[in-house]
Structure formats: C-alpha cells, structure tokens
Amino acid sequence: MCPKKIKNELINKLPFKLTDDQIKVFEDIEKDLKSGHPMMRMVQGDVGCGKTIVAWLASQVAIFNDYQIALMCPTEALAHQHYESFKELNQHLNIDLVLGSTKAKEKKVILGRLASGETHIAIGTHALFQDSIVFKKLGLAIIDEQHKFGVEQRLKLIAKGEGTHSLIMTATPIPRTLSLAQYGD
C-alpha cells in the first residue's frame, strides 16, 4: 500500500508530533484503504484536534497508489484554508481549488487537469460534484462537515470514482452523524 519508510518520511516532515490518537486513526484508515472494499469512515472530534492532518495522511497513501483525492468543504473560506494547508505540505503535487466562483476560463483548465489525472488533489465546495467535474481516477473523497451536505450530494461526489473511499470529518455530532457512527452507511 504505502511502504513504512514513506509513511515515516511523511510523518517526520510535519512541523509537529502526531498524538497517539491521530496515529491510531491513521492506521485504522490505512487498514480500510487496504481492505479491497470502499471505506466509509467518519472522523469526529473537536475543532483543532487534528482531523485534517489525518485526512492529509490518508490522501498521501491514496496518491502513492496513483489515485486522485477530492476534499469537499461547505464554504469557500474553509476550502481556501484547506487548500493553503495542503499546498504547504504538498509542494511537489498538483492541487487545484474548485469553487463556484472560479472563473470559466480557469475552470476549463482545471477540468482538463482533473480529467487527465494531472491534478492530484482537488479541494473545493459544492462545485466538486457538478456534472462537469470528471476525475481520471478518484480514489478518496474527503468530506468536511458532512452535515452541511445532503446525502445525495455526498454520494454524487463519491460516485465520480469507481470504488471510491469516503472519509467524513465532523466536529458536530448531530443525529445523522451519530447514526452514521453507529450503523455505518
């Protein structure tokens, strides 16, 4: 899946030390990614607890295995925040920001990069599940604050790949989130 040496390099490149819980969650996600079945996992925790860094590590495993990643956020501000964080940690990868406000000319270029596989990570808002967005090989869909999206919206993004793994991050345990945690998908 991803050699231990590569994983250790990724973890050591971080500007901070991972907590034991972050390492355990990442290891659980990695097992899911190796299972041969599409993962449907939720990471729930307070704001600032490290959900995004765990998602970043999962994205690195998917990229190592030649898959593309989509990270869908409920607001443009959060999408920009994730984009800046991922760019800082992935200076060698192609990351595109896909927003409803993206200009038509720029969006056309991004669409070409997504379809060709040139884009490794697409970070955006609802714009990510629009019909015009086509991924060459989407392997991991990360959805931040899943309760802000409808079930059909999440499924539409996941359906843009074949056997796409799904990682949902949330800080808000609303009833739908709690039922997902207890009963899965």
Side-chain angles (χ1 to χ4, degrees), residues 27-176:
E27 288 172 349
D28 288 347
I29 290 169
E30 189 176 27
K31 285 178 195 169
D32 286 349
L33 294 173
K34 289 180 186 177
S35 74
H37 304 287
M39 170 182 74
M40 174 64 101
R41 179 171 288 273
M42 180 177 53
V43 177
Q44 191 269 324
D46 293 334
V47 172
C49 74
K51 297 181 297 288
T52 301
I53 203 64
V54 169
W56 176 79
L57 287 166
S59 74
Q60 302 308 291
V61 172
I63 290 166
F64 182 82
N65 288 282
D66 296 321
Y67 287 102
Q68 292 172 290
I69 289 72
L71 170 53
M72 186 167 68
C73 308
T75 66
E76 288 195 6
L78 187 55
H80 277 285
Q81 181 181 334
H82 283 315
Y83 177 77
E84 293 303 324
S85 297
F86 274 58
K87 285 290 277 186
E88 188 175 322
L89 292 168
N90 292 294
Q91 296 172 2
H92 63 290
L93 298 178
N94 295 320
I95 303 175
D96 281 316
L97 187 60
V98 183
L99 307 171
S101 63
T102 303
K103 303 282 187 231
K105 186 176 181 180
E106 182 183 356
K107 188 172 184 178
K108 185 176 180 181
V109 171
I110 291 170
L111 292 175
R113 290 196 298 242
L114 287 168
S116 72
E118 184 182 339
T119 296
H120 298 100
I121 304 172
I123 299 174
T125 57
H126 295 76
L128 284 173
F129 64 77
Q130 301 305 310
D131 291 338
S132 61
I133 302 288
V134 176
F135 291 86
K136 180 176 183 180
K137 194 174 178 187
L138 181 63
L140 176 62
I142 302 168
I143 301 166
D144 198 356
E145 293 301 339
Q146 63 93 19
H147 62 278
K148 305 239 174 141
F149 298 101
V151 173
E152 288 182 22
Q153 292 171 323
R154 294 192 314 263
L155 292 176
K156 197 169 180 182
L157 177 63
I158 293 165
K160 289 189 174 283
E162 192 173 313
T164 304
H165 297 286
S166 175
L167 178 63
I168 296 168
M169 304 187 297
T170 188
T172 312
I174 63 169
R176 185 184 331 153

